[in-house]
Amino acid sequence: MPEASTKMTEEIRNPAQGTENEEAKLSEILKVRRDKLKALQDAGADPFQITKFDVSHHAEEIKAQYNALENKEVTVAGRMMSKRIMGKASFAHVQDLSGNMQLYVARDSLGEESYAGFKKMDIGDIIGVKGTVFKTKTGEISLHVTELTLLSKSLQPLPEKFHGLTNVDMRYRQRYVDLITNPESKDTFIKRSKIISSIRRFLDSQGFMEVETPMLVSNAGGAAARPFETHHNALDEDFKLRISLELPLKRLIVGGLERVYEIGRVFRNEGCDTRHNPEFTLMELYQAYTDYHGMMDLTENMYRHVAQEVLGTTTITYNGVEMDLGKPFARITMVDAVKQYSGVDFAEIHTLEEARAAADAHHVEYEDRHSKGDILNLFFETFVEEHLIQPTFVMDHPVEISPLTKKKPDNPEYVERFEMFMNGWEMANAYSELNDPIDQRERFAEQEKQFAAGDEEANHTDEDFLNALEIGMPPTGGIGYGIDRLCMLLTDSPAIRDVLLFPTMKSLDN
C-alpha cells in the first residue's frame, strides 16, 4: 500500500497531469494516511505521543566526518523523502536541516515487526533513526539502520519529488512545503540568518548597542511613506504602525547612548512588487560625533565584512552581473549624477520655472506642488538610478526632500545626505542629522503644508521629538539599510518575496 500511495502523490501533484480524477485520488490518499494513523493509535503506538528524540548528528556532519564515524553508531532525525522497498532490504532517504542521508533498512537488522512498520510509512513522515555509518558499494555514505521510530505522521502528501513545489504563488503561501521540497529556498533563508548575524557582530565590535523601539506610534515619522492605522481599544486612541526607526533612536542619542542600532520590521501602506513588501526589515543606526562621511566609511566596511564572512568573497554576482565590494565605493553628488546621465545641469537652474522648463523638455512628469528640489529628484529617478550598478554613494540631496537632514553650510539649498545604490537599487539612506530644533520645526511646518497640498507621505510635526532636540542632540550621523534588498543581492534572489519567509499575500478568500 505505501508504494501505491507514494505513486499517487506524484501523479496528483504533477501539474502536467491535470486529470479529472485528481480530487478523488487526493481524497483516497488522505483517507489511507488517516487510516494508518488510526491503526497505530489503536495499537498503542500513536506517534504524536512521542515527546523527544535524541539526535547525535546531522546528515552533512556525518558525511564530513566519515573517516572518524565509520562503523560508529549515530542517531539522526528528519523527514523521509524517498523509499524503495526491495523485499527483505530497502533503501530510504531522511532529510534534516543540513541535507539528506541514505538509509539501508534490512529486516534482519531491524526486526520483522519494525520492518513491517517501516514498509507502512509514507513519504513525508518524520522519523528518528539509529544506525551505523558505512559506505555502499557505489560509495554513498549511508546508515545501516538498527532502530527506526515514527515521530510524526504526515497526513498530507508532499509535492512530486522530482519537481518540488513549482507554483510560485503556493511557494510563498506554503513556505513550510517550499522549505521541504526546494533546497535552494532553505539555503537562502539560512544565508539570510547568517547575514543578519554578521551585521550584528560587526556593529557590536564597533561599540554599537542594539535597542528596541515601539512599533505602535502616535506619529509615524522619519520617512516619506503612508502608514497603516489601527485603534487601541483600552486607550480609545488611534495608533499607527511605524514606517521608520529614526525618531526614537535619535531620542536615545539625546539621552547619551552615543551609538545605537535596531534591526526590526517597519510597515508602509504601499504596493507589492519585486522590491517592495508592505512589511519589511529595516536597520537604522545612529552615531554621535560623526557625519554622513562617517556613515559612508562605516557602510563600506560593513558591506565588505558581511560579504566576506557569509560568501567568502567581496565580489558578488546578481542576475549574472558582477559587483565588487572590495573596491572603494564611487561617490558623486546628485547634481553631478543628473548632469552626467541627462545632460541637465541643475547648478545652472536657479528658479522653479527653469526647473519646470527643463522637465517639460525632457518629458519628466511633475505635479504643481513639486519644488525645484523635487524636480531634481525626479530627474535622478528617471535618468540615473538604473545606471548605478556598482556600489555608489549619491550625495547632497535638495533640502526640500530631506526634512530631517542638516544643510550644507556652504550651500543651504542642499543637505548632507547620501543614498547608496547597487544594481540600480537604493540600498541605504544616510544623513548628517539635523540637530537644530528651530530649523527642524520650520522643516516640519513645510511638511505639514505639503501634506495639506496632497502629499500623503509628508512628515507630521512631532512635538516630543522637537522637545528632545531642545534638550540637545550632539552632531550625529545616521543611516537606514534595507536588509531584504541586501539579502536579495547576496543570495541572487530575483524578488523580495524570495527572501521573506512569510511575504504579504492577498487572501485566497477575496
Side-chain angles (χ1 to χ4, degrees):
M1 190 68 210
E3 293 85 348
S5 66
T6 300
K7 183 178 179 182
M8 281 188 287
T9 299
E10 296 174 1
E11 287 177 351
I12 65 165
R13 290 297 186 176
N14 186 342
Q17 297 287 337
T19 65
E20 294 180 0
N21 296 325
E22 187 172 295
E23 289 186 7
K25 290 181 179 179
L26 177 57
S27 296
E28 181 182 348
I29 292 169
L30 298 179
K31 181 179 184 305
V32 168
R33 292 198 176 203
R34 281 160 174 75
D35 288 346
K36 288 182 181 180
L37 174 62
K38 180 67 164 55
L40 288 167
Q41 292 170 332
D42 291 345
D46 185 352
F48 298 125
Q49 295 297 314
I50 297 175
T51 58
K52 63 176 292 188
F53 183 85
D54 292 326
V55 176
S56 68
H57 294 78
H58 283 83
E60 293 306 311
E61 184 183 4
I62 293 171
K63 294 174 185 177
Q65 301 177 15
Y66 174 74
N67 290 337
L69 292 175
E70 185 179 12
N71 296 323
K72 300 287 179 61
E73 188 174 78
V74 298
T75 57
V76 299
R79 192 177 299 273
M80 188 162 66
M81 299 300 291
S82 71
K83 184 176 65 169
R84 185 157 44 99
I85 304 296
M86 302 169 62
K88 298 180 180 180
S90 302
F91 286 94
H93 278 88
V94 62
Q95 176 177 293
D96 61 20
L97 174 67
S98 69
N100 281 282
M101 173 61 62
Q102 179 170 270
L103 307 178
Y104 173 67
V105 188
R107 186 184 66 181
D108 293 345
S109 300
L110 196 59
E112 191 162 338
E113 183 177 348
S114 294
Y115 188 68
F118 161 74
K119 291 172 68 175
K120 293 178 181 178
M121 292 179 186
D122 291 306
I123 304 302
D125 287 350
I126 297 175
I127 58 176
V129 179
K130 178 185 286 186
T132 55
V133 180
F134 78 107
K135 277 186 182 178
T136 64
K137 292 180 180 178
T138 61
E140 183 170 355
I141 297 172
S142 307
L143 290 188
H144 189 150
V145 179
T146 56
E147 293 183 21
L148 195 152
T149 306
L150 179 62
L151 302 176
S152 182
K153 183 67 187 167
S154 175
L155 301 180
Q156 287 271 5
L158 292 174
E160 192 271 319
K161 64 182 178 180
F162 294 109
H163 298 100
L165 184 60
T166 55
N167 182 296
V168 173
D169 186 73
M170 292 310 295
R171 288 183 68 174
Y172 298 147
R173 293 184 185 277
Q174 296 184 14
R175 183 67 80 186
Y176 43 92
V177 181
D178 178 40
L179 294 171
I180 294 168
T181 59
N182 294 310
E184 70 280 0
S185 182
K186 181 173 67 175
D187 291 343
T188 292
F189 290 105
I190 291 173
K191 195 169 289 182
R192 179 190 172 105
S193 178
K194 291 179 178 178
I195 289 167
I196 294 174
S197 295
S198 181
I199 290 171
R200 284 193 166 101
R201 280 191 295 274
F202 175 81
L203 293 177
D204 292 347
S205 74
Q206 300 296 309
F208 282 85
M209 172 182 175
E210 185 172 11
V211 298
E212 295 174 311
T213 62
M215 292 188 183
L216 284 175
V217 295
S218 298
N219 186 349
R226 293 177 59 187
F228 288 93
E229 299 182 0
T230 187
H231 185 79
H232 191 293
N233 292 333
L235 296 178
D236 191 22
E237 187 173 339
D238 290 335
F239 281 84
K240 299 177 177 65
L241 293 177
R242 67 186 182 187
I243 61 174
S244 169
L245 313 174
E246 179 167 352
L247 300 186
L249 291 177
K250 285 184 182 177
R251 288 172 169 90
L252 300 181
I253 295 292
V254 171
L257 295 187
E258 292 195 2
R259 297 189 183 201
V260 294
Y261 76 95
E262 181 174 7
I263 300 174
R265 283 295 175 99
V266 297
F267 310 86
R268 298 183 180 180
N269 200 346
E270 57 189 21
C272 300
D273 59 31
T274 57
R275 284 184 283 160
H276 295 87
N277 193 71
E279 59 174 312
F280 61 96
T281 302
L282 181 65
M283 182 180 80
E284 293 196 29
L285 63 87
Y286 293 85
Q287 179 180 339
Y289 310 113
T290 190
D291 62 2
Y292 74 144
H293 292 291
M295 293 296 100
M296 290 185 213
D297 295 339
L298 183 145
T299 298
E300 284 198 40
N301 292 333
M302 188 184 78
Y303 265 60
R304 289 189 192 115
H305 167 87
V306 172
Q308 186 65 50
E309 190 168 85
V310 176
L311 303 180
T313 178
T314 56
T315 300
I316 66 173
T317 301
Y318 184 83
N319 195 27
V321 178
E322 271 196 5
M323 286 163 273
D324 191 351
L325 297 169
K327 295 179 180 178
F329 293 8
R331 304 187 183 196
I332 187 171
T333 67
M334 180 177 282
V335 169
D336 287 344
V338 168
K339 180 180 179 181
Q340 179 178 334
Y341 290 102
S342 75
V344 177
D345 186 359
F346 270 77
E348 301 299 325
I349 293 177
H350 303 290
T351 67
L352 176 58
E353 289 71 24
E354 291 173 347
R356 287 176 172 172
D360 292 338
H362 289 77
H363 309 291
V364 174
E365 295 184 2
Y366 58 88
E367 299 177 23
D368 289 342
R369 62 183 175 84
H370 282 149
S371 66
K372 187 185 83 168
D374 291 311
I375 294 174
L376 169 59
N377 190 53
L378 292 171
F379 265 83
F380 176 78
E381 293 174 351
T382 303
F383 293 103
V384 182
E385 284 190 5
E386 63 181 321
H387 298 288
L388 303 178
I389 304 303
Q390 298 302 318
T392 303
F393 294 124
V394 177
M395 307 179 296
D396 301 350
H397 293 50
V399 66
E400 296 95 332
I401 64 169
S402 310
L404 298 164
T405 315
K406 186 171 288 191
K407 295 176 183 176
K408 293 181 68 65
D410 58 345
N411 190 354
E413 288 189 14
Y414 296 91
V415 295
E416 293 191 348
R417 172 184 175 186
F418 73 80
E419 292 173 295
M420 178 195 159
F421 284 83
M422 286 180 64
N423 193 51
W425 303 348
E426 179 197 337
M427 302 296 295
N429 185 23
Y431 314 150
S432 295
E433 302 296 336
L434 178 58
N435 61 343
D436 178 346
I438 298 172
D439 189 358
Q440 184 64 81
R441 183 175 291 278
E442 293 172 355
R443 306 272 195 98
F444 277 144
E446 182 59 34
Q447 286 288 295
E448 296 286 6
K449 291 179 182 177
Q450 292 295 323
F451 182 79
D455 184 356
E456 295 182 340
E457 296 183 347
N459 281 239
H460 292 283
T461 303
D462 188 323
E463 289 293 344
D464 182 73
F465 177 65
L466 289 169
N467 185 68
L469 290 186
E470 290 185 359
I471 295 294
M473 185 174 84
T476 298
I479 189 167
Y481 299 93
I483 296 298
D484 305 308
R485 290 186 187 177
L486 175 59
C487 291
M488 287 174 66
L489 284 182
L490 296 187
T491 60
D492 199 10
S493 298
I496 191 171
R497 289 180 174 183
D498 295 314
V499 297
L500 297 175
L501 280 167
F502 301 103
T504 303
M505 304 289 289
K506 186 176 177 63
S507 172
L508 290 174
D509 296 331
N510 293 333

